[in-house]
Structure formats: C-alpha cells, structure tokens
Amino acid sequence: MTAAPVVDIVWNQGTVAEWRALYAAAPAATLPQSFAYADAMARERGFVPRLGRIVADGRTVGLAQALERRSLKFFTQRQIHRGPLWLDGTPAPALAEAVMAILRRECPRNLRNNLSFLPELPAGDEWAALMARAGFRRIGPGYRTIRIDLTRPLDRLRAAWSASARQRLKQAEKAGLVLDIDAKAQNLPWLMGKEQAQAKTKGFRPLSGRLAVRLRNALLPENGAMMITALHDGDAAAAGLFFIHGAAATYQVGWAGDLGRDTHAMRLVLWRAFEVLRARGVASLDLGGVNPDHAVGVTEFKTSLGGEMVETVGLYR
C-alpha cells in the first residue's frame, strides 16, 4: 500500500522573483494565479495576496495564490480563483485532497470568513466528491474554456480549425485587411469602450475597464499585454486583447463591428495571435471561457478553432 504524501503549503516565503519563476514553470498557468493579477486586484479592489508553495514529500509540486481583504476589522473575504497550479499536470487524488484539506483549514467557513474558490481541478464526480470530503460546498459551475496547444506546428494548428473556420480565414486574408500589432496594448481604453458597448447589447458582464488597465500595467514589465487590430481602409474592423502570463496566454477581450463581421476579421486577428504568441514561446492559449448554455454563438466560434474543451470542477465556498 502506497503511503499518503506528506503535504504542506508554505506561505509568503521567498521573493516575488522566486514566485514568478515557479509560476513560469507551471505548464497551464492561469491568469488569476499570476502576481500581476494580484497586483491589479490590490490596486483596484484592495486585496492582499498570500503566496503559497505546495510541498509534497519535500518537493515543490505546485503553488496557490489567495487574495484576502478585511473589512470592519473582523470580516475576511478570500478568493482563490483558477488555482492551485500544479507543476506536473493534474495531481493524484490523494495529493489534491491533502492540499484541499489544508486550504479548508486556512480558509475556515464561518460568519467571519467568506471564500470564493474556483479550484483548478477537472470536472467529474470523483473530483466533486473529493472537494466535498475536504469540507467545501459547491455553489456554482466551474470554468469552461477552449485551450489551444501552441507548441504544435503552424500547419497543424491551422488544419485543426473546422472547415468553415478555415474558409472564413481565407476570406479574411483576401479582404484587404491590415493588422496592427500593439505590443503594449496602448489602445486598450478604446477597446474597453467597445467592450462596454457590446456588453450592453449582448447582455453579458464585461471586464471592468479600470481592472483591465491595471492588469495591462502590471503585465507590461514582462511584455505581457498585446492588442491586435484589423483595419480596413483605416477603419477598425475587429480587435483582440491578449494577456501573456508565464508559459500561457489568455484571449481576454474580442470585438468586431459590422465591417469585421462581414470580412470575418476576428478569424484573422486570432490566427495572427496564434503566430505571434507561438513565436514568443507561449505554450498554450486560453480562449477566455465559453458558455454553451447562454452564449451559443461565441462557444461555436471558439470551438471551431481546434482546441481542447476543458472544464473545472466547480465554484465553491
């Protein structure tokens, strides 16, 4: 019988540079676990990060970033979103359960403590039962997205697109569009204005413009923000915002006007993003979430790009 691993979480030891190096080693790093995200949330919403290194049998196997905010001197609000991150891929259930038990002790459930926990564990009955045994209560669905493996050759990436998506990409390539690559996302305020407007017409909750700017500013020292805009005769047709964090990137915001929809410009924006991110050594691209129940069109668009559908186990308290 295999002995259970000896597991601990070591909090707030070492330097930020050491944390960033550990984060960069995570094969599927998520944006909310990056220190840049913590910096943005601290400046915008007053959260303070706790940085945890997960150690099993003396070896570092993962990391967890918890954001904390106190109010009225005794009430603590905590967030652990899209974490912990695992250095060796999905962990063995025994390891994951030991880590969840520690996090439950660190984040007790009572009237003085409120936790929003979106663990980076796959959906499934086994993992849901594990979370319940650790003392967490599920309050909502997990995160669903499409993940693109950018380590594949470009011809294979393109071949993985659906036939209709490849056809529309060809049409976009022939439409006379010019692509502007804004390596520092300097035009972000303009794009966030477009994002707020489309959120009103399409009925979704947009990323706050202020938080988006904070994220960009926090990521800029690591060249972690990029916008790509498709122009037709000088007019913007479509644009995408991409955040690069560790070995991964996230497609954060996308917008297309009538001209962009007519020319399929967003296909060209995303294809160019594949090329640029891959050339920079980014290993995977998170397409920013899908909701098959309430955003069918967006889900179909993203699933046509040849990635892997992933879903996490749920949202917990």
Side-chain angles (χ1 to χ4, degrees):
M1 183 174 180
T2 303
V6 178
V7 180
D8 192 16
I9 301 179
V10 181
W11 296 98
N12 290 345
Q13 291 190 12
T15 66
V16 171
E18 289 170 339
W19 171 268
R20 285 179 165 147
L22 184 62
Y23 176 87
T30 62
L31 180 61
Q33 288 290 294
S34 68
F35 190 78
Y37 185 86
D39 181 86
M41 289 290 282
R43 295 175 186 274
E44 184 62 20
R45 299 179 184 173
F47 282 93
V48 176
R50 290 185 72 201
L51 308 180
R53 183 168 53 87
I54 300 169
V55 180
D57 294 332
R59 185 174 72 90
T60 299
V61 297
L63 59 153
Q65 176 172 266
L67 303 182
E68 299 183 349
R69 181 172 62 187
R70 294 184 181 275
S71 60
L72 302 177
K73 296 185 179 180
F74 66 89
F75 184 77
T76 301
Q77 181 181 1
R78 294 183 176 91
Q79 290 185 8
I80 306 174
H81 286 179
R82 304 292 314 279
L85 297 182
W86 312 97
L87 299 185
D88 301 321
T90 302
L95 170 60
E97 188 163 353
V99 170
M100 295 304 147
I102 294 171
L103 290 175
R104 179 77 285 178
R105 291 196 299 271
E106 293 283 339
C107 306
R109 186 173 64 190
N110 54 48
L111 294 178
R112 296 179 58 181
N113 293 274
N114 181 45
L115 172 67
S116 176
F117 187 16
L118 193 62
E120 197 68 2
L121 292 173
D125 292 342
E126 177 186 11
W127 298 101
L130 182 154
M131 292 297 297
R133 288 195 302 272
F136 292 99
R137 180 169 64 88
R138 193 175 192 269
I139 59 171
Y143 179 73
R144 289 184 285 187
T145 193
I146 308 295
R147 185 178 293 151
I148 306 293
D149 178 4
L150 293 177
T151 64
R152 292 175 291 171
L154 285 173
D155 58 345
R156 289 182 57 193
L157 283 170
R158 187 159 179 146
W161 286 30
S162 70
S164 62
R166 292 197 305 273
Q167 180 61 33
R168 287 167 182 163
L169 176 58
K170 289 180 181 178
Q171 293 172 6
E173 290 171 331
K174 296 176 181 178
L177 296 164
V178 175
L179 293 180
D180 173 70
I181 299 178
D182 180 358
K184 296 184 178 180
Q186 293 177 320
N187 290 322
L188 180 56
W190 166 82
L191 179 58
M192 294 312 298
K194 296 292 187 183
E195 168 78 344
Q196 300 297 319
Q198 72 178 354
K200 291 180 181 179
T201 59
K202 295 181 180 179
F204 66 87
R205 184 178 179 181
L207 174 68
S208 156
R210 286 171 56 96
L211 182 57
V213 170
R214 297 281 197 194
L215 278 166
R216 179 204 60 185
N217 293 347
L219 286 162
L220 277 180
E222 302 173 53
N223 297 317
M226 176 179 71
M227 274 180 58
I228 299 179
T229 304
L231 304 168
H232 190 275
D233 293 334
D235 294 325
L241 170 67
F242 303 87
F243 287 141
I244 301 100
H245 42 92
T250 299
Y251 171 40
Q252 190 67 49
V253 175
W255 165 84
D258 291 339
L259 178 59
R261 287 185 285 273
D262 291 342
T263 58
H264 306 294
M266 187 52 75
R267 302 278 182 187
L268 188 58
V269 167
L270 281 163
W271 178 248
R272 185 64 179 131
F274 282 22
E275 293 177 324
V276 173
L277 293 170
R278 186 180 181 279
R280 286 187 52 174
V282 175
S284 67
L285 172 64
D286 181 334
L287 289 183
V290 295
N291 189 330
D293 300 321
H294 301 290
V296 177
V298 172
T299 300
E300 290 177 347
F301 176 86
K302 292 181 179 180
T303 55
S304 74
L305 303 180
E308 174 193 8
M309 173 76 81
V310 296
E311 180 178 358
T312 61
V313 66
L315 177 65
Y316 288 84
R317 284 183 177 168

